[in-house]
């Protein structure tokens, strides 16, 4: 349990070497499984010349995914997030240490009361600044929930979220010759055929199977249950 009664989840990642599609997928699975609207917020755009590359990688995870690129210290840049922070709305921020969650909260509040720390230069990894969950009231009436950094997120009972994020694999799996296809070397496997054709990627396939394994069921069963 991270929080309750959340309207929107800001999944915060930074445009540097700490950026991880696999980590974003886990956060998105969590959001989809509990029915919370996710928005991927990519920070530190002032430290890269290619923020669009990071944004494209995030958008490729799921069709229609909202992705915003911001400089967390620039109020004009962060202002585009205000649409989700209106009166009566609660927004939680989730992401690794050092991605700029507390900086975002400070800028949205127009305050620098929350301490922040610099990331390690050698690997762009952050240090824990926020150690407890804390609610912050915004002038426009919304609430922000700042959470401690999470580099690893273990999922449990999130089959519905996995099905949402990996819907492309599940749709292809319906065309497999055998209903219990494990998508390894079975004849007539539509998933392996799509990977060979380049329609699906082996990297994303491996992440799908890993998340399915954490659910304690084979990926083939997740596909059958969705059907």
């Amino acid at each position: 349990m991270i929080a309750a009664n959340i309207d929107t989840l800001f999944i915060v990642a930074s445009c540097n070497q700490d950026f991880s599609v696999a980590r974003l997928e886990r956060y998105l699975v969590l959001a989809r499984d509990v029915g919370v609207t996710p928005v991927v917020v990519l920070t530190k755009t002032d430290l890269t010349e290619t923020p669009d590359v990071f944004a494209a990688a995030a958008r490729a995870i799921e069709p229609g995914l909202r992705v915003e690129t911001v400089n967390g210290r620039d109020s004009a840049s962060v202002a585009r997030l205000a649409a989700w922070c209106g009166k009566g709305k609660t927004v939680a921020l989730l992401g690794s240490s050092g991605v700029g969650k507390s900086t975002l909260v400070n800028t949205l509040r127009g305050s620098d009361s929350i301490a922040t720390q610099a990331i390690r230069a050698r690997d762009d990894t952050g240090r824990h600044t926020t150690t407890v969950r804390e609610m912050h009231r915004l002038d426009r009436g919304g609430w922000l929930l700042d959470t401690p950094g999470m580099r690893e997120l273990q999922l449990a009972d999130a089959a519905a979220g996995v099905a949402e994020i990996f819907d492309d694999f599940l749709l292809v799996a319906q065309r497999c010759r055998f209903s219990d296809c494990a998508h390894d070397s079975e004849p007539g496997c539509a998933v392996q055929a799509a990977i060979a054709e380049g329609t699906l990627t082996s990297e994303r396939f491996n992440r799908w199977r890993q998340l399915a394994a954490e659910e304690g069921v084979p990926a083939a069963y997740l596909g059958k249950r969705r059907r």
Side-chain angles (χ1 to χ4, degrees):
M1 176 65 72
I2 299 172
N5 301 321
I6 300 299
D7 297 293
T8 304
L9 182 66
F10 283 171
I11 301 173
V12 187
S14 49
C15 296
N16 55 25
Q17 61 181 309
D18 190 53
F19 177 86
S20 169
V21 168
R23 191 181 305 134
L24 288 179
E25 283 175 342
R26 286 177 174 268
Y27 292 143
L28 286 167
V29 165
L30 175 65
R32 294 303 188 191
D33 197 66
V34 298
V36 174
T37 300
V39 178
V40 174
V41 180
L42 301 180
T43 62
K44 304 184 187 298
T45 56
D46 55 315
L47 301 181
T48 178
E49 296 181 353
T50 58
D52 291 344
V53 173
F54 293 94
R59 291 191 179 100
I61 296 174
E62 182 185 21
L65 178 64
R66 292 299 303 264
V67 178
E68 297 288 347
T69 55
V70 301
N71 174 356
R73 299 185 183 279
D74 181 1
S75 58
S77 177
V78 174
R80 71 188 64 170
L81 304 178
W84 291 279
C85 306
K87 184 177 181 179
K89 300 297 183 181
T90 302
V91 178
L93 292 87
L94 193 63
S96 300
S97 298
V99 296
K101 297 187 300 298
S102 296
T103 299
L104 281 177
V105 174
N106 278 338
T107 304
L108 283 165
R109 295 174 65 230
S111 167
D112 59 359
S113 60
I114 304 174
T116 61
Q117 294 190 60
I119 58 175
R120 290 201 305 256
R122 68 175 182 274
D123 58 4
D124 288 337
T125 299
R127 303 172 176 86
H128 287 287
T129 301
T130 301
T131 56
V132 296
R133 286 166 286 187
E134 187 174 1
M135 298 286 288
H136 302 277
R137 182 71 178 266
L138 297 176
D139 291 340
R140 61 183 62 91
W143 289 87
L144 293 177
L145 174 63
D146 195 10
T147 63
M150 299 181 186
R151 289 191 60 80
E152 296 185 6
L153 179 65
Q154 298 299 318
L155 300 174
D157 299 325
V162 173
E164 288 284 345
I165 300 304
F166 292 91
D167 184 70
D168 50 346
F169 277 87
L170 299 181
L171 289 174
V172 171
Q174 294 179 23
R175 303 200 299 267
C176 290
R177 181 184 301 177
F178 301 108
S179 61
D180 60 348
C181 182
H183 316 307
D184 285 321
S185 56
E186 293 86 351
C189 175
V191 171
Q192 288 298 330
I195 292 174
E197 295 168 357
T199 307
L200 301 175
T201 67
S202 58
E203 294 82 7
R204 186 164 157 80
F205 172 69
N206 291 333
R207 295 197 298 269
W208 174 44
R209 296 191 68 174
Q210 181 177 350
L211 289 174
E214 290 183 21
E215 281 293 303
V217 295
Y221 178 72
L222 290 178
K224 289 196 294 181
R225 182 160 66 179
R226 182 172 176 78
R227 292 197 295 274

